[in-house]
Amino acid sequence: MEEIYAKFVSQKISKTRWRPVPPGSLQTAETFATGSWDNEENYVSLWSIGDLGNVDSDGGFEGEHQLLCDIKHHGDVMDLQFFDQERIVAASSTGCVTVFLHHPNNQTLSVSQQWPTAHYHTGPGSPSRSSAPCTGVVCDNPEIVTVGEDGRINLFRADHKEAVRTIDNADSSTLHAVTFLRTPEILTVNSIGQLKIWDFRKQGNEPSQILSLTGDRVPLHCVDRHPNQQHVVATGGQDGMLSIWDVRQGTMPVSLLKAHEAEMWEVHFHPSNPDHLFTCSEDGSLWHWDASTDVPEKSSLFNQGGRSSTFLSHSISNQANVHQSLISSWLSTDPAKDRIEITSLLPSRTLSVNSLDVLGPCLVCGTDAEAIYVTRQLFS
Amino acid sequence: MEELDGEPTVTLIPGVNSKKKQMCFDWGPGEMLVCETSFNKKEKSETVPGCPFIYIIRKDIDVYSQILRKLFNESHGIFVGLQRIEEELTGKSRKAQLVRVSKNYRSVIRACMEEMHQAAIAAKDPASGRQFSSQVSILSAMELIWNLCEILFIEVAPAGPLLLHLLDWVRLHVCEVDSLLADVLGSENPSKHESFWNLVTILVLQGRLDEARQMLSKEADVSPTSAGMCRILGDLMRTMPVLSPGNTQTLTELELKWQHWHEECERHLQDGTFASSPHLESLCKIMLGDEAALLEQKELLNNWYHFLVTRLLYSHPTVKPIDLHFYAQSSLDLFLGGESSPEPLDNILMAAFEFDIHQVIKECSIALSNWWFVAHLTDLLDHCKLLQSHNLYFGSNMREFLLLEYASGLFAHHSLWQLGVDYFDYCPELGRVSLELHIERIPLSTEQKALKVLRICEQRQMTEQVRSICKILAMKAVRNNRLGSALSWSIRAKDAAFATLVSDRFLRDYCERGCFSDLDLIDNLGPAMMLSDRLTFLGKYREFHRFYGEKRFFDAASLLLSLMTSQIAPRCFWVTLLTDALPLLEQKQVIFTTEQTYELMRCLEDLASGRPVRGEPGAQRLQEDIENTKLEMLRLALARNLARAIIKEGSLEGS
């Protein structure tokens, strides 16, 4: 049984993120950031899970995470991303995007940069602007991309005061999440079940590709890209379904997996072990999907019928990718149900699990029941 | 009506002088609004500027404590778990389960107390320190009461084990002794420590005889004169018969042994064995259950219930639950000795000893500043099937009444409302309506929050609330010029009227700008298009444009015609549609068949005949001229198309 530590923190947690470890270092994750929502005063906080060296095997309080520092945040924290080791980007329900700087010397957080009206509505016929919640943010140093309920996409650069690029009316509905596909392309999901690919090299406000679930227009709430195979994308929807997409082909998901009973708020591939996937949901569950179970006859793209062969004929240069996808356990369609092992990570159902993050053997998640759960032995 | 249980407390509102001004108020679910009125008495007509504020008065203030929030959140999980264990378990395993739940609740209270204690120590200003400390004592009292209720009502310990439980209860709550013990043992010469005898006495009072014996042996080591006496008393302590959990001996056996031991103690006392050491003699008297000797240790006993338990230990070790109240009452009277009157906590404990659950809950409701305690305790006791007989003359039963109060308090809180939902769920009678009333009042600041509220409503089939939330969001979107969003929300709410309204906005925008916005949505409407006629028209009209753009002229033409003939298109839009037909009529190839052309002509004439007669001057006239020109052009185009179609069809048939 994995040991999982819970701590009640007197604020509803909307986002949890591990601080990235410096590239090439052997360190494991030990600091994470959280954002709160729906409190009268909201905070962005940094927590430490303590020195890994002196963990007593008898449990107790050693495993508990301790608050390092926090700072007031205006509005709900809608999304949170580490920009680099010291900087955290927070998206606010007030439409504001803030970069916080962590000073490790005296353990404080300060505002290092802010775009106050990154997202806004323009009322009919009036020039006045009212703020619109910023729903998602993604960073790839030095770029920051934000999306919002106003259907707008902003591209910021850490050292620029103004947005480098803004796509107004990029979406007629609410954009719920954004991720990088491969620079300079991004991927957004919206509230009418569409996945859109945008290329910042192109002018105008048209996406370069639209993928969608058929018919029902079930809103999509989260998206994550496979860390090694950039064409493999996972999304989670309002009905709790997990969809796996191959963005190179087709406009429909490769597989649809019945998952949670309510909104799936976040989905994450494990960054270094991408056969593992993690999802959390409004129904209060947190799941670990393991597709690494050894099956000799892994079905590949070739078994999917005519579609892949026509794809092959398109270009020879993509062949490398095809070979790569042979080892992708997520794209094989049909027998997925038998091959993926799913484990529930939380001991008992609680209120909504709003966010999760994985790094190495560590997982952190935050709930509406005002608890933060941490485990450091994901694969034990 | 029942009479009042006590004088209601007066809450003074800072800045409002109720002597000079009249007040008005309004009840809310968990709060009250109070403000001054300008309704002055007649004789005082001078106008004094009134107080410009409206005050919100909250009843359940503990909900706003940061530390207690942890209590609410953690106990919410236990509460939900308790509702689920339910029925399938019976007898012993059920009781064990309920005791475990009760212990879980208590451990949460203790954890909270611990943190509150730390906060009190760390507090920077004395005022908040005091506040934390008073919270600590309230939590401690809550735990004390809960623990006693657990022993008496949930565990239902019989004679024998009952006393063991009560001893544990006292030991747990009079815990200063442990620090004292460490202090004394840590000193260079324990038996010379100034509190040495106090410590030994407390250990004896709490029935911790093994530890007391060890302390006595320390005394014996250093003072040879009293070594003999210490040994004898130590032997008495060792031989005191006690019930041990694993033991099979019957109560009668125990009673017999105990009687024997008691007589031996008494003999030693009468023989004057300990006459030379007043300390040891008083210990011996305590062990005989001598009331006077016990009362001499008032300071060390701290409170009457400790006195009660010690007294029972040394004089009635096999006390039956049913006799408890008798000893409790006399212990209270003896301990207070008429000097002071019992406090609320004393009354609550006394009610518990009398097995009067309702009195316990009533007293707690009056004494405590939150509903958390009574709501959870009552619910737990209700699961023990202890409350069924009692019905209130208002609302439903007591459990539900208290849960509703507690949940309403949560809903009044800015962010704890989510917890309240589950409490309402488990109130069979009034929970649903309460939830309906409260959920509509949650402010929907972001779509994400709205989705959470919607999910709560949808899970409970609260269609009315779902519709109203979607409508609010659709309205907001329209105000923000987000037509696509507005349309999505009205589709989700299945709100045909609003969908029509939004579709009209889309069509109007099209007429003004000549192009559609939000194509990603309109092109993907699917079956949702059937929600309202106007929405269907919008979707189909856009489809027409797509056909036209893709040069699928025949599809485009028949779609255009069917839009008019099936009456889906609003009349006011027909001119636009007919104008859209113009380029099709002017194509090189013949698109409309003769049949279709006749249909188009009929539509055109319908439209023309329905128009008002001319006569108005000015700009209107100009507009009408333009319209007439359009009509003439259409007639011409239709006639030419008809001619071409007849020729084409004729020649096709001929060939």
Side-chain angles (χ1 to χ4, degrees), chain B residues 414-455:
Chain B
H414 188 269
S415 50
L416 290 174
W417 56 273
Q418 272 171 306
L419 297 177
V421 175
D422 282 312
Y423 288 92
F424 282 138
D425 275 353
Y426 291 106
C427 293
E429 227 169 299
L430 298 170
R432 168 90 182 199
V433 279
S434 306
L435 181 59
E436 283 171 1
L437 286 175
H438 278 104
I439 203 95
E440 282 185 330
R441 287 163 173 74
I442 301 284
L444 306 172
S445 44
T446 63
E447 279 192 17
Q448 175 131 352
K449 186 170 177 184
L451 287 170
K452 282 174 184 276
V453 178
L454 263 183
R455 174 61 64 178

Side-chain angles (χ1 to χ4, degrees), chain A residues 7-12 37-40 76 78 93 121-125 130 133 148-152 169-176 190-192 194 196 210 212 215 217 219 221 238-239 261-263 265 282-283 349-352 354 368-370, chain B residues 58 64-70 73-74 76-77 80 84 115 413-419 422 443 445-449 451-452 455-456 458-459 478-486 488-489 491-492 505 517-522 524-528:
Chain A
K7 187 181 176 111
F8 287 85
V9 293
S10 295
Q11 47 186 340
K12 291 202 268 193
W37 79 285
D38 203 28
N39 294 311
E40 270 164 309
D76 294 349
M78 302 292 286
S93 61
H121 292 299
T122 43
S130 63
E149 277 186 21
D150 53 357
R152 187 174 275 112
N169 273 324
D171 205 300
S172 62
S173 52
T174 297
L175 287 169
H176 281 148
N190 68 11
S191 64
I192 52 173
Q194 292 169 334
K196 293 183 181 176
I210 299 183
S212 69
R217 303 183 333 279
H221 288 298
Q238 179 147 293
D239 50 0
E261 285 160 26
E263 287 87 352
W265 290 127
E282 175 72 20
D283 68 6
R349 278 281 167 93
T350 72
L351 294 183
S352 170
N354 293 324
D368 274 346
E370 307 187 345
Chain B
R58 286 160 175 171
Y64 299 90
S65 151
Q66 281 295 314
I67 296 173
L68 288 181
R69 272 176 83 157
K70 298 180 187 183
N73 274 293
E74 212 168 344
H76 165 262
V80 173
R84 287 183 188 153
E115 190 172 345
H413 189 273
H414 188 269
S415 50
L416 290 174
W417 56 273
Q418 272 171 306
L419 297 177
D422 282 312
S445 44
T446 63
E447 279 192 17
Q448 175 131 352
K449 186 170 177 184
L451 287 170
K452 282 174 184 276
R455 174 61 64 178
I456 289 168
E458 280 174 354
Q459 273 169 349
V478 167
R479 227 174 288 139
N480 288 329
N481 235 353
R482 302 276 302 149
L483 294 186
S485 242
S488 305
W489 284 116
I491 290 173
R492 179 153 179 188
R505 277 281 301 270
S517 58
D518 301 340
L519 289 179
D520 49 354
L521 175 66
I522 300 172
N524 291 292
L525 281 172

Side-chain angles (χ1 to χ4, degrees), chain A residues 19 44 46 69-71 82-90 98-104 106-113:
Chain A
R19 180 165 75 187
V44 169
L46 268 183
C69 49
D70 57 9
I71 187 167
F82 271 93
F83 182 76
D84 52 25
Q85 292 283 310
E86 283 91 36
R87 282 179 283 183
I88 311 166
V89 186
T98 312
V99 182
F100 292 104
L101 183 63
H102 177 221
H103 309 276
N106 54 358
Q107 290 300 359
T108 50
L109 282 166
S110 65
V111 175
S112 104
Q113 202 166 0

